[in-house]
Amino acid sequence: MNVYDSEQIQNMLNLLGYEKTPIMEMADLIIMNTCTIREKAEQKVFSFLGRLRALKIKRPGLVLGVGGCVAQQEGINILRKMPHVDFVFGTRAIPRLPDIVRQVMDENRRVVDIDMTDDFSAYDSCENLKSNRSPSRFVTIMRGCDNYCSYCVVPYVRGDESSRPPEEIVAQIRKLVHAGVKEVTLLGQNVNSYGKKEGFCSFAQLLEQINRIEGLLRIRFTTSHPKDLSDDIVYAFRDLEKLCPHLHLPIQSGSNRILKRMNRRYTREEYLEKINRLRIACPDVAITSDIIVGFPGESHQDFKETIELIKFVEYDSLFVFKYSDRPNAPAVKYNGKISEQEKQKRLEQVLGLQEIITKTKNAALIGSEQTVLVEGRSKMHTKTKCAQLSGRTATNKVVNIFYGTKDAVAEYDLVGKLVVVKIEKALSHSLWGKPIRSTGVCNKPKGEEKPCYAE
């Protein structure tokens, strides 16, 4: 969501004539888009802003802004703590950013805008299709959250849950596809509850509409709340050929006692039953998740139950976090706080276990042929003698694609195309392979096969 917001911020600044620069010291305007989901992220914000003070002294004309969740949470306090910051704008003030910057520049005054009212459609009306040539794009279908998990600050900084009309979403995706986009990732704090408050179509029905868009190759979405993972969403993985077989389904804890304390509103057994139904409907589905270790009151037995669940499910990957108190979240007042030392120990144990599972799963793919949507050059392209492109499988595994020499990459126009790659090497977080000249299947073999391109 923050990546998407940053793209929208850049689009808004383009309207004012600003261009992105890779050299911060040369910038006329610096905006920091922030996250407050964990305490460490918030600490990084103020640390970075502190370092910008010297640059501001050196260049008094430099304009500094802070946006995102920390901005929404702290508001005017940021200006009080950081006198060199010029403006603060909240999570729903992005459409108003041009006016905010004009006020700072023309009226020479500091501005705080953390008002939570705005026009939802304004987020996508300014999209600069030419500025981003990536074949993959984020599309916001809803925002905010009504779940109020006891550890989470999101409802307080992102607001109440609301969904965009389905016709707006479909129209935006058609526009993106016309501009060359091949894959979309639908965004929301809980996409599974899409449209319920407004009386729109269900999330599964929205997926069906998007699946019919000609020229679109892949559909992804994030994030799902387990309590709202319905059967029709599970069947969508079976029935929709463009829906990638990958689901991020946060469990947070394997202990029913801790899940109740977290206000997650599902049990370990209910979660595992949904995983089982999903794997029956789509046997090749990749499942990823979130884990919080050291939640207040988490006993050694509770943690053991989390470890056992991870071993049972065998996730493709995990995002693991140490619990940290967040402003306004009820868990701040919970007793039984776990020491930092113990939280770190549990974090390392989960990460170590998951690394073994991921390596095993990736190693099993050596020698297989995988269909990869090419996204561009890999990060290692300039460091090797071989040409390298990078992309992802339908199950969201990163694949680095190797060619014989760097000159060879010029012979291919593969960005945005599906390439069949033979996997030759597996690492913890990526796969390596070489393209083969054959046709494959787009995502999953359902009905008539669709060609994938290797040239």
Side-chain angles (χ1 to χ4, degrees), residues 233-364:
I233 298 175
V234 170
Y235 297 146
F237 283 97
R238 179 193 64 190
D239 300 333
L240 304 181
E241 74 275 5
K242 295 179 182 178
L243 180 59
C244 288
H246 167 238
L247 177 64
H248 187 71
L249 195 65
I251 177 67
Q252 307 298 4
S253 173
S255 163
N256 282 337
R257 190 178 74 85
I258 295 300
L259 288 173
K260 184 176 181 180
R261 200 166 165 87
M262 288 178 167
N263 192 35
R264 292 293 286 174
R265 286 178 281 176
Y266 56 82
T267 65
R268 171 195 181 102
E269 292 75 22
E270 289 168 343
Y271 180 91
L272 291 175
E273 174 57 27
K274 292 186 179 187
I275 294 291
N276 183 56
R277 291 206 302 271
L278 184 66
R279 284 177 165 162
I280 291 173
C282 183
D284 296 330
V285 67
I287 301 174
T288 57
S289 193
D290 296 341
I291 296 288
I292 296 174
V293 298
F295 188 79
E298 183 186 62
S299 67
H300 289 289
Q301 178 59 35
D302 294 322
F303 179 66
K304 181 181 178 182
E305 291 175 12
T306 296
I307 291 293
E308 290 172 348
L309 183 138
I310 294 170
K311 290 178 179 178
F312 182 81
V313 175
E314 294 187 335
Y315 293 105
D316 286 73
S317 67
L318 281 178
F319 295 93
V320 190
F321 312 101
K322 293 186 292 184
Y323 168 81
S324 60
D325 284 337
R326 297 286 73 216
N328 300 313
V332 170
K333 299 178 181 179
Y334 286 4
N335 56 17
K337 295 294 173 66
I338 309 299
S339 70
E340 285 299 315
Q341 182 180 9
E342 181 62 25
K343 284 191 286 187
Q344 183 64 31
K345 180 181 177 181
R346 295 179 186 184
L347 175 76
E348 292 173 359
Q349 187 173 341
V350 173
L351 290 175
L353 170 61
Q354 184 56 46
E355 183 175 9
I356 293 171
I357 296 172
T358 301
K359 280 185 176 180
T360 302
K361 282 178 170 283
N362 286 352

Side-chain angles (χ1 to χ4, degrees), residues 29-75:
L29 169 64
I30 296 175
I31 291 181
M32 189 177 189
N33 189 23
T34 63
C35 174
T36 188
I37 198 72
R38 297 185 303 280
E39 184 179 19
K40 185 175 180 180
E42 186 175 332
Q43 290 171 347
K44 287 182 177 180
V45 170
F46 289 102
S47 176
F48 182 76
L49 288 175
R51 294 197 300 272
L52 287 179
R53 187 191 306 270
L55 186 59
K56 179 80 169 184
I57 293 173
K58 185 177 179 181
R59 299 181 56 208
L62 174 65
V63 176
L64 300 179
V66 181
C69 293
V70 173
Q72 187 69 49
Q73 175 183 291
E74 297 295 324

Side-chain angles (χ1 to χ4, degrees), residues 145-149 151 161 188-193 196 221-230 233 247-252 259 262-266 271 274:
C145 185
D146 291 342
N147 287 309
Y148 289 90
C149 299
Y151 54 81
E161 182 180 284
Q189 253 68 46
N190 177 21
V191 294
N192 293 348
S193 62
K196 290 182 179 179
F221 61 82
T222 193
T223 291
S224 291
H225 196 298
K227 72 179 179 62
D228 296 313
L229 184 66
S230 60
I233 298 175
L247 177 64
H248 187 71
L249 195 65
I251 177 67
Q252 307 298 4
L259 288 173
M262 288 178 167
N263 192 35
R264 292 293 286 174
R265 286 178 281 176
Y266 56 82
Y271 180 91
K274 292 186 179 187

